[in-house]
Amino acid sequence: MNDRRREPGQSSGQNSGQISLADIAAEAGVSVSTVSRIANGDLGRASAATVAKVQKLIADRGYRPNPIGRSLRGGDSRLVAMLAPNLDNPAMAAIAASTEAALRAAGYVMILCDTHDRSDLQDEYLRAMRSRFAEGFIVVSAVASPELEASLERGEPIVFVNRRNPYGGGPFIGIDNRQAGADAADHLLTCGVRAPAVIHPADLSSTIRERVEGFLDRLRERRPDMAVRRCDGAGTNHLDCGHAAALRLAADGGWPDGILCPSDLMAYGLFRAAGEQGVRIPEDCRPVGIDDNDLNDWIAPWLSSVKIPYHRFGDAVVASLRDLRAGNSVGEVLLDHRLVRRRSGSSMAGDPA
Amino acid sequence: MNDRRREPGQSSGQNSGQISLADIAAEAGVSVSTVSRIANGDLGRASAATVAKVQKLIADRGYRPNPIGRSLRGGDSRLVAMLAPNLDNPAMAAIAASTEAALRAAGYVMILCDTHDRSDLQDEYLRAMRSRFAEGFIVVSAVASPELEASLERGEPIVFVNRRNPYGGGPFIGIDNRQAGADAADHLLTCGVRAPAVIHPADLSSTIRERVEGFLDRLRERRPDMAVRRCDGAGTNHLDCGHAAALRLAADGGWPDGILCPSDLMAYGLFRAAGEQGVRIPEDCRPVGIDDNDLNDWIAPWLSSVKIPYHRFGDAVVASLRDLRAGNSVGEVLLDHRLVRRRSGSSMAGDPA
DNA sequence: ACAGTTTAGGCAAACGTTTGCCATGTTCAA
DNA sequence: TTGAACATGGCAAACGTTTGCCTAAACTGT
C-alpha cells in the first residue's frame, strides 16, 4: 500500500471534514482514478464488485466532488455570475430571484454582483468572475466597458438581460419595448387622455429610449395633431428622477392628464410629487408605468402598468446560456408583456371588480 | 532553462487568456516561487532588480492571482455565502445589497443563495458552499436544519442576521425587536388609538414573536385595562398573510382603529384588505409597520413604520465575520431603530411638513 | 584564509480532480 | 501455441498557487 496515502477518515487538516477522492480510495483499497471514474458514472472500467464497493462507500461517507478541484482541472465550475445594476430595484430583485431558481434547477450556483450601474465595477466583477472560472455571465442592464468588450472578443458566454449588448449582437432576454410603449399610448387614449406627456431620465438607456419612442410614435400615428410634452429629470435613480421630472413638468406648463413613466419607479417618483402638490392620482393625472412590480397589486392601486414577466426571465436566461455554451447561435428572446389596468382612485375605496 | 516552461504569452489552452504565475515567471526568466513571493509582497527574498522586473511584468501583463488555485492550496478563497430566505422581499434585497457592498469593500465576493425559507434548500446550499471553500456564511432568517447544526459544531464562521441562531448563541445582527414593538405601541397611544390590534403570521418566528410581545407588554404596562385584539393569518408570504389576517380581524369584530403589522409587507396586505372593504387608511385604521421599506417614502405615505437600518447591516455583518474568523468571541449587534411617522391620508393631499 | 552569515532564488510537495496512457491478467480464436 | 482482444485498474501529468526547505554564491569578521 502506498505509504503516502492518508488513513481513511482522517482528512487533511484545514479542509474541514470534506471527504475527498483520496479518502474513499484509501478506504476501498483502490486508486484515486478508479474512484473518480466510478463517481463520474464510468462504470465500465472496473469490476462489478469494485463498483459496488466504491459506490457504497461514496454513499456512506457522503462524498461529494469538490468543485474547486474540478474547476482547477479545467472542467466545469457550475458557477454563473450575474451582474445586476442595483438590487434595491424591485425589478432587479425579481430578475435575480427567478434566475437564481432557474440556475439552481439546472445545477448551477449563481454569484450575484451589484455593479451599481458603474462601468468600473462591472469591469472589476467581470475580471474577478473570469478568474474564478465562471462558466457564464448574465449581465442585466449592461453598460459599455473595456472588459466587457474583451469578454465578447474572447467569445465568453454572456447573456444580456433587459438592456441590449452595447457592442451589438449577442443573446438578449427582454420584451418588445417599442410595443410596450405603444400599448401604454393606446391605454391612455382609451382612457380619454387629451394632453399626455412622458418623463424619462436625462441619459437614456436603449431600453428606455425604445419605450419612449414606441409611445410617441403610436401617439403620432393615432393622433397626428396631438401635442405630447416631454420632460427629463436628473437623479441617480428612477425614483428621484421621476420626482424631479414631474416637478419640472408641472412647473413648466402644469400637470398633464396622462403620462408615461417608462419604469414603475419613475411612476412612484411622480406619485410623490403629485402628493406634494395636492394633485390626485389617477383622477387628475393618470400615469401608466412599465414593469408592473408585484407590489403594485398591494399598495399602488392607482398605477396601471405594462407587466414584464420578470419571473419567467430565469428560464429564458438559462436556456440561452445553455444554447450559447453548446455553440449554437442564440438570438433575442422577447417575452410577452401585457398591460395591467388598475382603476382605484386615491380615495382608496377599492374597486371590487 | 527548464524545458517544461511554457513560452511567454501563450497560455494554457482552456484557461482563456488568464495570465498565470508561470507566464510571468517564464517571461522574467525566474521561477514561479519567486514571482509568487513578489506578487504577495514578500520583497525581501529577491534582489531589487528582480523585484522591479517582476513587478513591472505583473503590472504590464495585468496578472491577477487565480483564486481557484489559491483556495485549492488551502489559502483563502475570499468567498462568502449569503443565504437569504426570499429576494422578493424588499427588506432582504436591502440586506443583500448592503452586505454585498461591505464585503466587496473588504475584498470578498458574495455568493447569494435564495433558500425560500426552506430548510432542505438551506442545507443544500450550506453543503455546496462548504465544498466551494466559502470562508464564511451569512444566514438571514435562518431555520433549523441538520446541516446548519453540523456547521455550527464544526465551528464554521456563521453570522446570523435578522433571526437568531435556532440552536442558540453565535453572532447576530439585528435590532431590539421587543423595543421596536414597544415603540410602535407608544406611537399608537400617542395617536389616540383606543382599540388596537395586532396581526401576525400563523407560525411565529422569534423575530416576529419578540416584536409582538414587546408591543403587547408595553400596552399592558401603560393601559392595563385596554383590550388588545390579536389575529393571525395564513399565507406563504407576509403580504398574503397580512391580507388574510386583516380580513379575519374585520370579520371577527370589525376594524380596529390602530394596528401593529410586525412587518411592512403585512401592512401592505392589510392596506389591500382595507381598500377592498372601503376602509380608509390611516383615518379609519392607523397601521404601524416594522421595517420601513425605502419605498414607503414614495408610495406608502399612509404608513408609519419602525425603520430598521438595513443599509447599515452590511458593515456590521462584515465586522462580525472578521472578528469571528480572527477567533474573537462575537456577540449580538443590535442596531438603532427609530419610528418614522407618516401622516398623509389616503386623500393623497401630501402633508407639506 | 577560513568559518559563519546573509542574500537570492530554485525545488518540490500539497490542495482535489480528471484523463490519456500503460501494465497486468484473462479469455478467445485460429 | 501464439497472438489478439478485452477486462481491470494504476500511474502520472495537469490546472495555479503557496511555502518549507535547500543550495549556491557572496559577503563579513577575525
Side-chain angles (χ1 to χ4, degrees), chain A residues 6 15 21 33 36 40 63 66 69-70 73:
Chain A
R6 279 188 254 119
N15 178 9
L21 278 184
S33 342
S36 171
N40 289 330
Y63 166 75
N66 181 329
R70 225 178 220 177
R73 176 57 220 272

Side-chain angles (χ1 to χ4, degrees), chain A residues 111-329:
Chain A
I111 298 194
L112 184 66
C113 312
D114 194 332
T115 65
H116 299 91
D117 229 350
R118 279 167 48 187
S119 79
D120 57 332
L121 281 184
Q122 178 177 294
D123 268 6
E124 189 171 324
Y125 274 123
L126 281 172
R127 272 192 302 267
M129 290 306 114
R130 187 157 43 223
S131 60
R132 280 192 165 78
F133 291 117
E135 289 188 31
F137 299 89
I138 298 161
V139 190
V140 187
S141 298
V143 296
S145 75
E147 208 67 45
L148 176 61
E149 200 174 2
S151 285
L152 289 164
E153 274 170 12
R154 296 192 213 180
E156 289 170 0
I158 306 183
V159 173
F160 294 88
V161 178
N162 223 18
R163 196 183 287 166
R164 286 191 170 72
N165 180 357
Y167 300 98
F172 169 75
I173 314 291
I175 61 162
D176 182 339
N177 285 302
R178 292 188 63 87
Q179 183 63 47
D183 291 350
D186 286 338
H187 169 69
L188 290 186
L189 291 181
T190 302
C191 293
V193 163
R194 303 290 171 99
V198 53
I199 54 178
H200 55 75
D203 48 344
L204 284 166
S205 67
S206 66
T207 306
I208 301 289
R209 189 200 323 277
E210 288 166 17
R211 292 175 186 173
V212 171
E213 285 174 358
F215 178 78
L216 294 174
D217 285 355
R218 174 62 57 93
L219 286 182
R220 255 195 297 277
E221 178 191 324
R222 290 187 54 185
R223 295 281 201 287
D225 51 337
M226 186 181 254
V228 183
R229 293 161 64 206
R230 179 171 177 170
C231 187
D232 61 21
T236 57
N237 62 56
H238 279 199
L239 290 165
D240 287 330
C241 164
H243 184 255
L247 290 182
R248 261 187 66 193
L249 194 66
D252 189 29
W255 285 79
D257 61 347
I259 186 165
L260 171 70
C261 302
S263 76
D264 276 12
L265 289 187
M266 293 198 71
Y268 301 163
L270 171 124
F271 181 77
R272 180 172 180 171
E276 288 164 1
Q277 304 205 336
V279 170
R280 292 171 309 158
I281 301 284
E283 293 84 346
D284 299 336
C285 173
R286 175 179 300 277
V288 54
I290 296 183
D291 269 345
D292 198 39
N293 289 334
D294 290 340
L295 245 28
N296 289 350
D297 276 333
W298 301 87
I299 53 172
W302 45 268
L303 182 60
S304 294
S305 187
V306 175
K307 175 139 211 108
I308 302 183
Y310 290 124
H311 297 292
R312 299 204 333 259
F313 273 34
D315 288 332
V317 167
V318 172
S320 284
L321 208 48
R322 212 198 293 268
D323 278 1
L324 202 54
R325 289 183 52 78
N328 307 335
S329 83

Side-chain angles (χ1 to χ4, degrees), chain B residues 12 31 49-50 84 95 128 146 159 164 187 269 272 305 312 315:
Chain B
S12 61
S31 79
T50 305
I95 294 177
V159 173
R164 286 190 171 74
H187 170 69
R272 180 170 178 172
S305 187
R312 299 205 331 260
D315 288 331

Side-chain angles (χ1 to χ4, degrees), chain B residues 188-189 192-196 226-227 257-258:
Chain B
L188 289 187
L189 291 180
V193 164
R194 303 288 170 101
M226 186 181 253
D257 61 346

Side-chain angles (χ1 to χ4, degrees), chain B residues 52-213:
Chain B
K53 181 169 57 178
V54 170
Q55 281 180 329
K56 174 158 171 26
L57 231 34
I58 285 177
D60 285 355
R61 299 286 175 269
Y63 166 76
R64 302 180 59 133
N66 181 328
I68 299 270
R70 225 178 219 176
S71 331
L72 188 54
R73 176 59 219 273
D76 46 12
S77 65
R78 311 305 286 175
L79 232 46
V80 170
M82 170 162 173
L83 279 59
N86 182 4
L87 271 179
D88 282 339
N89 184 333
M92 297 308 149
I95 294 177
S98 102
T99 305
E100 201 267 356
L103 283 173
R104 208 184 62 73
Y108 288 88
V109 167
M110 180 178 98
I111 299 196
L112 185 65
C113 312
D114 194 334
T115 65
H116 299 89
D117 228 349
R118 280 166 48 185
S119 79
D120 58 332
L121 281 185
Q122 179 177 293
D123 268 6
E124 189 172 324
Y125 274 123
L126 281 172
R127 271 194 301 269
M129 290 305 115
R130 188 156 42 223
S131 58
R132 280 194 164 76
F133 292 117
E135 289 187 31
F137 298 89
I138 298 162
V139 190
V140 187
S141 299
V143 295
S145 77
E147 208 67 44
L148 176 60
E149 201 174 2
S151 286
L152 288 164
E153 275 170 12
R154 296 193 212 181
E156 288 170 1
I158 307 184
V159 173
F160 293 88
V161 178
N162 222 16
R163 195 184 288 168
R164 286 190 171 74
N165 180 357
Y167 301 98
F172 169 74
I173 314 291
I175 61 161
D176 182 341
N177 286 302
R178 293 188 62 87
Q179 183 62 46
D183 290 352
D186 285 340
H187 170 69
L188 289 187
L189 291 180
T190 302
C191 293
V193 164
R194 303 288 170 101
V198 52
I199 54 177
H200 54 76
D203 48 344
L204 284 166
S205 68
S206 65
T207 305
I208 300 290
R209 189 199 324 278
E210 289 166 15
R211 292 175 186 174
V212 171
E213 286 174 359

